[in-house]
Amino acid sequence: MYDVVIVGAGPAGLTAGIYAGRSALKTIIIDEAQSGGTVNEAPLIENYPGYDEIAGMDLAEKITTQASKYCEIREFAYVEDITKNSDDTFNVTVDDEVLNTRFVILATGTKYKTLDVEHIDEYTGRGVSYCAVCDGGFFIGREVLVVGGGNSAATEALYLNRIGVNCSIVHRRDELRCDGKLKSDIKEAGIKVYWDSEVKAINASSKLESVVIHNKKTGVDETVDVAALFVAIGHDANNQLAVDCNIKCDDNGYIIVDSDMQTSTDGIFAVGDVTGGIKQIIVAEAQGAVAISKIDSLI
């Protein structure tokens, strides 16, 4: 019997694990991937208190190391099902093993949005990427495009530019939506932006060769030779477990929670990006702490 099973080992889940362990709650964190979540993919973080700047992988490693002192972390394990028992405990099925727990915290985060472009899924890993940190090094000295205009796209483009990749941005509006500092950095770096444009098609054989960029204002299509296309247009809530448990979500698929991070199902909490709102590491971590504080008061 566990006191808490946390699904997701990003900043929210890991912080919940730290606080749970310090409250002497028997806790396990389950993640289908590497601990740290999407923080691992952040090239450089410059707004995390205590660090002028830190690589995402380094921060994820530090948080994971701390959490591992207080609770068990099981990576590359898949949560198949969550069911509520008659005694108000839960059975969490993990790779055919059933864990019994008093409370569940969903910290499942988000998944990448993709483009509505034919064959894009087919060429993921063959020129189409969603992670500059993971794949940028393969394209040093070559031409690539980043699609998007928010903080993620700007950060990806700046990282690629810094490591020697010839990077341009495709954005559907006439102004970037990222922070002012990032806008200034993009301008200072001389990164070209295709304004009011979107990717209409990709051309490839065994790997990506070029993309067709459509200007929405002029109606003109332009074919650009590129070695890679990095997509950074946002995320969708990774909410399948919540949907399966009939937990209420909003119109965008984000899990609805109260001020204690409690979902519509008693005993199941949700924290981090899967709840929507301000998607920042420090916010996710705070939500993890809030959820454990409430759980601790109920035990």
Side-chain angles (χ1 to χ4, degrees), residues 115-117 143-148 166-173 192-203 208-230:
L115 299 174
D116 185 18
V117 175
E143 300 291 333
V144 309
L145 290 175
V146 173
V147 182
N166 301 325
C167 174
S168 300
I169 295 173
V170 179
H171 184 43
R172 60 182 179 174
R173 296 187 174 92
K192 179 180 179 179
V193 182
Y194 292 87
W195 301 111
D196 303 303
S197 299
E198 57 190 11
V199 174
K200 182 178 180 179
I202 61 174
N203 301 312
L208 186 68
E209 296 173 350
S210 65
V211 302
V212 179
I213 299 175
H214 174 73
N215 187 297
K216 299 190 297 179
K217 282 192 174 180
T218 66
V220 174
D221 290 345
E222 178 181 357
T223 299
V224 180
D225 293 335
V226 293
L229 181 69
F230 290 87

Side-chain angles (χ1 to χ4, degrees), residues 13-126:
L14 292 171
T15 302
I18 292 169
Y19 275 74
R22 290 182 60 83
S23 295
L25 303 179
K26 186 179 180 182
T27 303
I28 184 172
I29 302 174
I30 308 292
D31 200 298
E32 62 184 6
Q34 181 180 357
S35 185
T38 55
V39 174
N40 284 305
E41 299 163 9
L44 195 65
I45 298 168
E46 298 177 296
N47 61 354
Y48 190 84
Y51 296 96
D52 288 337
E53 59 180 43
I54 185 171
M57 285 185 177
D58 292 340
L59 181 59
E61 182 181 5
K62 289 178 182 295
I63 302 172
T64 299
T65 298
Q66 185 176 4
S68 65
K69 297 177 181 178
Y70 294 103
C71 65
E72 180 183 353
I73 300 174
R74 190 179 300 181
E75 299 177 320
F76 306 106
Y78 182 72
V79 175
E80 299 175 3
D81 185 48
I82 300 172
T83 57
K84 193 168 188 176
N85 303 314
S86 58
D87 62 355
D88 288 335
T89 64
F90 296 88
N91 285 339
V92 179
T93 304
V94 183
D95 295 335
D96 297 326
E97 176 188 0
V98 178
L99 308 179
N100 191 227
T101 182
R102 299 174 70 176
F103 294 95
V104 174
I105 296 178
L106 299 178
T108 47
T110 56
K111 53 192 174 184
Y112 294 110
K113 289 183 178 180
T114 190
L115 299 174
D116 185 18
V117 175
E118 191 175 5
H119 302 307
I120 192 163
D121 291 339
E122 182 181 346
Y123 288 96
T124 298
R126 290 192 287 165

Side-chain angles (χ1 to χ4, degrees), residues 1-7 25 82-85 87-92 100-107 245 247 255-258 260-271 291-292 294-296 298-299:
M1 166 69 76
Y2 286 93
D3 292 311
V4 187
V5 170
I6 301 169
V7 186
L25 303 179
I82 300 172
T83 57
K84 193 168 188 176
N85 303 314
D87 62 355
D88 288 335
T89 64
F90 296 88
N91 285 339
V92 179
N100 191 227
T101 182
R102 299 174 70 176
F103 294 95
V104 174
I105 296 178
L106 299 178
C245 292
I247 292 171
I255 300 175
I256 297 172
V257 293
D258 63 17
D260 293 317
M261 313 312 298
Q262 169 74 56
T263 71
S264 58
T265 297
D266 286 344
I268 299 182
F269 293 71
V271 297
I292 292 300
K294 180 61 177 179
I295 290 172
D296 195 27
L298 296 172
I299 289 181

Side-chain angles (χ1 to χ4, degrees), residues 123-184:
Y123 288 96
T124 298
R126 290 192 287 165
V128 175
S129 175
Y130 297 84
C131 176
V133 172
C134 307
D135 301 324
F138 296 115
F139 303 100
I140 292 173
R142 306 172 73 184
E143 300 291 333
V144 309
L145 290 175
V146 173
V147 182
N151 286 349
S152 295
T155 302
E156 298 267 277
L158 287 166
Y159 170 76
L160 291 167
N161 181 75
R162 188 166 59 248
I163 67 172
V165 178
N166 301 325
C167 174
S168 300
I169 295 173
V170 179
H171 184 43
R172 60 182 179 174
R173 296 187 174 92
D174 60 2
E175 183 180 356
L176 296 176
R177 297 178 291 108
C178 58
D179 294 342
K181 175 65 166 59
L182 291 173
K183 289 180 183 179
S184 298

